[in-house]
């Protein structure tokens, strides 16, 4: 075989090897990147003891799926009919402020979000970062009670975070947008005052700053404050 032919064969062989190695390297990099996205961060997690199990990280697709074995939040047919009757009652307190997303629905048959004995966090200004909600939500979580977050607006990532918590049932939460006189009226009805952003950012918010009611029901356009049937 001529030397130049041997040279061409060698060059082709080396080129094929380089291409194969490059493809394998890219595959390893892609797998490593995927593992890093879905695994806990390689750093201490604030306020978590070293022996605490690391949190499980979900992809966006996984986070938007209700977990297997999730507890049902659907009302019975009798409870739904009774609640519908009460919502039609002209004496029922109704407010022109609905839930910001269908992900907060608890009774899909009727399309309602129904929360019993919730804390109500009324924010004076739009919520721009999740950090503003961390302190009040951390205070509510150990109580096992639901929480309604009422604000003039919610940034996209804030809304998504609350939606995922509702879907995954990590806490019972509902987000409602209200402003102006409606916001002021809600604060009065739940016996609280709107909390300014500066207080939320400085973590000066305890449970005593939150309002409450016996039962909160929201549709896409309206929210209602009611007494539960089992309360005298």
């Amino acid at each position: 075989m001529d030397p130049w032919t041997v040279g061409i064969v060698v060059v082709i062989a080396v080129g094929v090897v380089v291409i194969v190695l490059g493809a394998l390297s890219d595959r390893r990099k892609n797998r490593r990147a995927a593992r890093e996205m879905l695994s806990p961060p390689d750093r201490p997690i604030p306020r978590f003891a070293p022996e605490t199990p690391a949190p499980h990280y979900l992809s966006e697709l996984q986070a938007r799926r209700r977990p297997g074995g999730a507890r049902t939040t659907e009302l019975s047919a009798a409870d739904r009919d009774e609640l519908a009757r009460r919502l039609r009652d002209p004496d029922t307190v109704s407010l022109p402020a609905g839930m910001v997303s269908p992900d907060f629905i608890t009774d899909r048959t009727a399309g309602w979000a129904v929360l019993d004995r919730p804390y109500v966090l009324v924010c004076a200004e739009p919520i721009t970062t999740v950090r503003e909600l961390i302190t009040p939500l951390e205070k509510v979580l150990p109580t096992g009670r639901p929480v309604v977050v009422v604000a003039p607006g919610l940034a996209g990532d804030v809304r998504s975070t609350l939606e995922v918590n509702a879907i995954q049932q990590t806490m019972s939460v509902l987000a409602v947008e209200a402003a102006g006189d409606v916001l002021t009226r809600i604060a009065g009805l739940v016996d609280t005052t709107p909390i300014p952003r500066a207080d939320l950012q400085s973590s000066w918010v305890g449970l005593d700053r939150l309002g409450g009611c016996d039962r909160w029901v929201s549709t896409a356009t309206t929210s209602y404050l009611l007494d539960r049937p089992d309360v005298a």
Side-chain angles (χ1 to χ4, degrees):
M1 184 179 293
D2 295 332
W4 65 270
T5 304
V6 173
I8 290 175
V9 171
V10 170
V11 169
I12 293 174
V14 171
V16 170
V17 170
V18 169
I19 292 172
V20 171
L21 291 177
L24 292 175
S25 176
D26 287 344
R27 178 180 295 180
R28 285 194 296 271
K29 289 179 181 178
N30 290 336
R31 288 178 176 173
R32 183 168 61 251
R35 285 196 302 271
E36 290 173 352
M37 288 177 61
L38 297 176
S39 63
D42 186 21
R43 63 181 185 273
I45 301 174
R47 285 179 283 186
F48 274 76
E51 66 275 10
T52 301
H56 178 59
Y57 290 79
L58 302 176
S59 68
E60 177 70 12
L61 181 59
Q62 291 171 323
R64 291 289 173 175
R65 292 176 178 168
R66 195 165 295 279
R71 68 183 184 279
T72 181
T73 57
E74 293 289 314
L75 298 171
S76 68
D79 288 343
R80 188 178 299 114
D81 290 344
E82 173 59 19
L83 185 52
R85 182 192 66 77
R86 297 193 66 194
L87 297 186
R88 292 192 300 266
D89 188 331
D91 292 332
T92 296
V93 176
S94 63
L95 303 149
M99 66 182 111
V100 300
S101 165
D103 288 321
F104 297 109
I105 290 174
T106 61
D107 187 80
R108 301 204 169 274
T109 301
W112 299 329
V114 183
L115 280 69
D116 286 330
R117 296 184 62 247
Y119 283 105
V120 182
L121 170 64
V122 182
C123 306
E125 300 159 88
I127 302 300
T128 57
T129 67
V130 174
R131 180 178 176 276
E132 296 168 34
L133 297 178
I134 288 178
T135 296
L137 294 185
E138 283 183 339
K139 298 289 179 59
V140 171
L141 191 59
T143 72
R145 288 173 57 181
V147 60
V148 180
V149 177
V150 183
L154 296 165
D157 60 332
V158 176
R159 178 182 301 190
S160 296
T161 299
L162 296 178
E163 289 169 351
V164 168
N165 276 274
I167 293 169
Q168 295 297 314
Q169 296 186 342
T170 52
M171 81 180 303
S172 180
V173 61
L174 166 64
V176 172
E177 287 190 350
D181 292 341
V182 177
L183 183 79
T184 302
R185 187 181 178 209
I186 290 174
L189 289 168
V190 301
D191 193 25
T192 188
T193 56
I195 300 175
R197 177 181 295 126
D199 285 4
L200 291 170
Q201 291 177 334
S202 61
S203 303
W204 291 351
V205 180
L207 293 178
D208 59 317
R209 300 284 300 277
L210 277 57
C213 64
D214 200 54
R215 170 171 276 190
W216 183 295
V217 180
S218 283
T219 68
T221 59
T222 310
S223 292
Y224 305 84
L225 274 67
L226 311 100
D227 294 325
R228 289 177 299 162
D230 59 333
V231 175

